[in-house]
Amino acid sequence: MRKLCPNFDREDGLDTVLEVPIPEEMFGSNKNGNRSWQNMKAWIRPQTDKSIANLFGGKNTEIQLLLGVVGAPLIPLPIRCDHQFINRNMKDEPIEASMAKYIVQQYIAAVGGEGALNSVDSMYAMGKVRMAASEFCAGEGSLNNKVLKVKNMRNGGGEMGGFVLWQKRPDLWCLELVVSGCKISAGSDGKVAWRQTPWHHSHASRGPPRPLRRFLQGLDPKSTANLFSNSICAGEKAINGEDCFILKLEAETSSLRARSTSNVEMIRHTVWGYFSQRTGLLVQLEDSHLLRIKASGNDSIFWETSMESTIHDYRTIDGINIAHGGRTSVSLFRFGENSESHSRTRMEEVWTIEEVDFNIKGLSMDCFLPPSDLKKDGEESYVVTGNAKLPLKMRSTSTRISSSKVVAIDVDDSDNSDDEDLDEY
């Protein structure tokens, strides 16, 4: 990761400090430093609303979809910062719940122990990502089924980027993620969770502030233990040859209701954690949520979003086991009408952690303040499609992907537009 870039415009000028470090691969193999600098400046060029609009229908459409869905998803439940580790008598609970608490205790021991986890007050992490929209399907189950395979990350496809994370236990956090010149910022000040993109103003998530999913992908063991301490053991499964216990957690009805609107109903949000029977570590994290969106008349359209993250490369940092790599697969499935209108989008992300540090000095509340243009009316974030299908149109005569927007909109009962709203959670 490159944090400083030389000033090729002026030999005596100071190096440019990058807010978000850039992967070294973005500079390419060109030995001409001046050319590399020009490439980098083009890569991090400011993205205005006008320039984004002019680029709809091309590469930036895919990047907006990736950042909107994969960039900063949230865990379905808030995690209490004052929550203590398991201390109740497990004999008084159902066997599924007591087994889950025992598995979480083994996990706490595997990641460093309760003392080490309690010693951490704040955290910083920096890493790099590669994202790609790998496949688009339309008309599933019909004779006119169309499939477009877009990228293969195993052959070097996808968009490169970097990110920086800051956290103070666990309700204060901030993320800055840059992918191919487009930046998404997200955070929580303990009262509201928000996100900001270059193609739309800042907007808040509905319901109580929730933790960023990236922290639960092996970066924040204490929050992971606290989250799954209220889960149940749902069985066993082998993940990549590793026998694992499955812990399952359902979002509460009150939480689902708080995240719903008059037009969009959050039906369920479930999280599964797969903990190795051999090491006790979390090796896979899954979550799935289902939305029902009111359409014209009495019809309803359903959107199901599923995310699966494999977690690996655990390393000990200051006595705590932190995962330094992983891969996330995402599936967006739309259904509810005839089979010809069913659609599915698949996306992938590979990430590696380059730096981790704990107990950051000088990390104050000011570091987690929401943007000044944040709307305080409970506005929610949506993916809006112009053709009432997936955020990508399928054309029979061309593989060109038409424009889509990842924006925030107000949900109003009087809204009669044909656009559909897919919630970003």
Side-chain angles (χ1 to χ4, degrees), residues 16 86 101 108 141-142 157 161 198 220 222 248 325 327 352 356 374:
T16 299
I86 303 160
K101 287 177 169 54
I108 293 171
S142 69
D220 186 357
K222 184 173 182 179
K248 179 182 178 181
R327 175 187 292 269
T352 56
V356 176
L374 180 67

Side-chain angles (χ1 to χ4, degrees), residues 6-168:
N7 191 329
F8 290 105
D9 296 330
R10 290 185 54 185
E11 294 184 0
D12 59 341
L14 297 175
D15 289 350
T16 299
V17 180
L18 300 175
E19 292 184 3
V20 180
I22 292 178
E24 197 69 37
E25 295 91 326
M26 293 305 302
F27 286 81
S29 58
N30 194 307
K31 296 182 179 180
N32 187 323
N34 201 27
R35 175 68 177 274
S36 297
W37 173 243
Q38 295 299 325
N39 290 342
M40 193 211 68
K41 285 199 297 185
W43 186 72
I44 63 173
R45 66 189 181 278
Q47 300 285 356
T48 64
D49 292 339
K50 182 177 180 180
S51 64
I52 287 289
N54 291 337
L55 289 170
F56 277 164
K59 175 180 176 182
N60 275 60
T61 299
E62 179 185 339
I63 294 174
Q64 290 177 61
L65 177 64
L66 290 168
L67 291 181
V69 177
V70 189
L74 305 180
I75 287 294
L77 296 173
I79 299 177
R80 291 174 51 190
C81 60
D82 60 346
H83 182 75
Q84 298 297 316
F85 288 127
I86 303 160
N87 54 16
R88 291 181 293 172
N89 189 346
M90 292 188 290
K91 295 180 181 179
D92 299 331
E93 299 186 346
I95 183 64
E96 296 85 357
S98 60
M99 286 180 63
K101 287 177 169 54
Y102 176 79
I103 294 167
V104 170
Q105 286 182 332
Q106 300 304 307
Y107 170 72
I108 293 171
V111 294
E114 187 172 341
L117 298 186
N118 285 332
S119 68
V120 176
D121 177 66
S122 59
M123 185 187 71
Y124 150 83
M126 180 266 290
K128 59 183 176 181
V129 297
R130 184 188 294 272
M131 296 180 176
S134 57
E135 184 177 281
F136 306 98
C137 306
E140 291 194 349
S142 69
L143 296 176
N144 297 322
N145 185 37
K146 305 169 186 176
V147 178
L148 172 61
K149 293 185 180 297
V150 180
K151 296 285 177 63
N152 187 339
M153 295 186 56
R154 291 177 177 80
N155 296 329
E159 309 297 335
M160 289 293 298
F163 64 88
V164 175
L165 283 167
W166 304 90
Q167 183 196 51
K168 279 179 74 72

Side-chain angles (χ1 to χ4, degrees), residues 262-372:
S262 58
N263 286 344
V264 181
E265 178 188 1
M266 170 62 72
I267 298 176
R268 61 168 170 80
H269 198 156
T270 309
V271 181
W272 296 269
Y274 296 80
F275 294 83
S276 169
Q277 297 181 12
R278 179 177 59 87
T279 65
L281 297 172
L282 178 69
V283 298
Q284 185 162 301
L285 178 70
E286 296 181 12
D287 72 288
S288 174
H289 66 260
L290 179 64
L291 293 173
R292 178 167 55 205
I293 303 174
K294 291 183 180 180
S296 58
N298 295 324
D299 295 333
S300 293
I301 298 169
F302 296 86
W303 282 90
E304 184 176 35
T305 303
S306 301
M307 305 186 76
E308 177 183 297
S309 299
T310 55
I311 303 164
H312 56 79
D313 193 15
Y314 277 88
R315 306 178 198 173
T316 301
I317 307 294
D318 294 341
I320 301 176
N321 252 340
I322 297 296
H324 282 66
R327 175 187 292 269
T328 296
S329 299
V330 182
S331 174
L332 300 178
F333 182 45
R334 176 189 183 274
F335 61 97
E337 299 174 345
N338 57 70
S339 61
E340 293 185 358
S341 64
H342 291 187
S343 303
R344 187 185 299 273
T345 301
R346 291 186 174 91
M347 291 166 278
E348 290 183 279
E349 177 196 62
V350 175
W351 79 90
T352 56
I353 302 298
E354 301 290 323
E355 291 182 3
V356 176
D357 200 4
F358 301 115
N359 297 325
I360 311 302
K361 296 185 182 298
L363 194 61
S364 68
M365 283 290 297
D366 293 343
C367 301
F368 305 98
L369 293 176
S372 58

